[in-house]
Amino acid sequence: MHQLTSWDADPVRAFRDFVTTTAFAETGRRPRADGTLKVLSAESAKIYIFMFNNLASWIMEQGLTFSTVGQADLLRFIGRTVKGKRVLNSKIAYRYLRLLERCYEHLEVTPNPAQQAILGIDRAHIAKDEAGRSLSEDQLERFFAALPAPAPRQRRSTPFDGWKRRRDRAMQVVMALAGLRVSEAIGLLVPEVGRQAALDGSIVLTITPEAKHDTSYEHEVALPRQGAEELRAWLQERETMAIPGQLVFPANLTGARMTRKTVYVQMRATFERAGMDPWHSGGRTLRNTFAKRRLESGAQAGELKDELGLALERSAADYRLTRVTPDPAD
């Protein structure tokens, strides 16, 4: 059995040493399609480390150690409230428990307190997550009308002034009409854009998880004519500018990758111009809207699951629960 001494003495350091190893990958439930293990990317590791640091701080505050934490303690951790409101919604609470379950599994702790906590959760007493936000048809049209620039255009003899605004426009259109995550849009590659349009004018985007999103499966989604025309125009301009690399939406003229922060800032600006609350709007809102529209147009949950690169049909079906948020009062 693995020794818990180092985890009790310095749990944060012990977890940092563990999370980027194949040993951590072995505790995962979703191996790659070819059966091989996938070690966490540095970006994903940061998220897990942040979560673990929160828990470690709480454990210390309670006068406990990693090895003495029990099922009841973990249920107290996820059930914390501030002014009557839960600190963690049910999905985030589950992620904390699942992360700890992997740690205790690695350490061969039996019984596994995190696993017991997961099994012992009384679903009737866990607050339901707030339904995600989606846009009404009117709000979506206003979003498109508020995009940051005219449609991309090819320019041969004049400077490419304002090209970043046209890049941002094309990216936001693609995210809205193909349901891409921010990470998927940032990492979209030119070879992943279908060259042959269908009879209805749509093109297929083939999204590979590599360097995009650790929990996504490879998937294909049709980008309808409106989005296809915007994307083709941008790609023509990008090619004429001779930007190196394969990223569809590069950060600069050297072909570097955009940051999520840049995308969030640009999208908030679009929502604000459209008269919607920019602080509760972003890539997730566009993805929710895409998914809900697909379900309402007759798509089955299994079909949507494949289009979004999800693991479970129920995850796709949950998009029906998203709701439209009224515009802020003047």
Side-chain angles (χ1 to χ4, degrees):
M1 178 180 291
H2 294 277
Q3 297 297 317
L4 282 168
T5 305
S6 61
W7 286 75
D8 283 344
D10 192 343
V12 172
R13 180 175 180 178
F15 181 78
R16 283 178 180 272
D17 292 342
F18 169 53
V19 72
T20 55
T21 65
T22 55
F24 182 80
E26 288 172 351
T27 64
R29 293 179 177 174
R30 291 172 55 183
R32 288 172 168 171
D34 60 6
T36 61
L37 295 174
K38 183 177 182 180
V39 176
L40 281 186
S41 67
E43 187 172 351
S44 294
K46 286 181 182 178
I47 296 173
Y48 284 131
I49 291 169
F50 174 81
M51 293 173 63
F52 191 87
N53 287 354
N54 285 343
L55 175 69
S57 296
W58 183 85
I59 289 174
M60 184 178 297
E61 290 172 359
Q62 301 301 307
L64 301 169
T65 64
F66 190 79
S67 63
T68 60
V69 168
Q71 171 189 358
D73 299 313
L74 295 180
L75 290 175
R76 282 196 297 117
F77 172 74
I78 66 171
R80 292 168 298 148
T81 61
V82 174
K83 295 182 178 180
K85 185 176 181 179
R86 295 179 65 90
V87 175
L88 304 175
N89 67 37
S90 59
K91 286 186 177 180
I92 300 300
Y94 174 81
R95 289 172 187 167
Y96 268 98
L97 293 179
R98 173 60 187 138
L99 178 60
L100 289 171
E101 182 185 26
R102 296 175 71 171
C103 295
Y104 287 117
E105 178 183 329
H106 166 69
L107 294 167
E108 299 179 2
V109 173
T110 304
N112 186 318
Q115 186 178 72
Q116 289 181 312
I118 291 172
L119 296 175
I121 288 175
D122 184 349
R123 300 288 178 180
H125 289 84
I126 288 189
K128 293 183 179 180
D129 296 327
E130 291 187 4
R133 178 183 183 180
S134 57
L135 303 179
S136 67
E137 289 298 320
D138 173 67
Q139 288 175 331
L140 184 60
E141 287 303 315
R142 283 162 41 210
F143 174 84
F144 287 138
L147 288 167
R153 59 191 182 279
Q154 192 172 22
R155 307 179 72 173
R156 299 182 180 277
S157 58
T158 58
F160 291 91
D161 56 288
W163 71 269
K164 287 187 177 180
R165 292 194 299 273
R166 293 188 292 279
R167 173 205 63 193
D168 295 340
R169 174 191 177 92
M171 173 184 277
Q172 292 178 36
V173 169
V174 169
M175 291 175 63
L177 296 180
L180 301 191
R181 295 181 171 99
V182 171
S183 57
E184 292 172 342
I186 290 173
L188 185 65
L189 303 176
V190 174
E192 295 176 335
V193 179
R195 295 188 177 185
Q196 184 65 43
L199 293 177
D200 61 1
S202 65
I203 58 175
V204 172
L205 304 180
T206 301
I207 310 300
T208 56
E210 194 66 30
K212 292 187 181 67
H213 199 284
D214 286 336
T215 61
S216 176
Y217 288 103
E218 181 172 338
H219 57 285
E220 293 185 347
V221 60
L223 179 66
R225 180 189 295 275
Q226 178 186 354
E229 291 175 349
E230 294 268 0
L231 182 54
R232 278 204 207 90
W234 160 245
L235 287 175
Q236 288 174 0
E237 181 168 2
R238 184 196 185 286
E239 181 179 2
T240 305
M241 294 173 68
I243 298 178
Q246 295 293 309
L247 292 171
V248 170
F249 304 111
N252 52 41
L253 297 178
T254 68
R257 181 183 296 268
M258 293 181 70
T259 66
R260 294 187 183 189
K261 181 178 180 180
T262 297
V263 177
Y264 292 144
V265 168
Q266 297 302 332
M267 294 188 71
R268 283 174 180 168
T270 302
F271 278 104
E272 190 168 21
R273 286 192 299 270
M276 290 177 273
D277 181 1
W279 300 107
H280 296 284
S281 305
R284 187 179 298 277
T285 298
L286 296 182
R287 184 173 169 86
N288 291 348
T289 303
F290 166 84
K292 188 171 186 178
R293 292 177 83 207
R294 290 286 294 123
L295 291 171
E296 290 179 345
S297 68
Q300 298 300 306
E303 183 181 356
L304 180 62
K305 172 184 76 71
D306 294 338
E307 291 178 338
L308 296 179
L310 301 173
L312 303 172
E313 284 191 21
R314 68 169 179 266
S315 298
D318 285 346
Y319 282 101
R320 288 190 185 277
L321 304 177
T322 63
R323 62 190 181 203
V324 173
T325 301
D327 298 327
D330 294 333

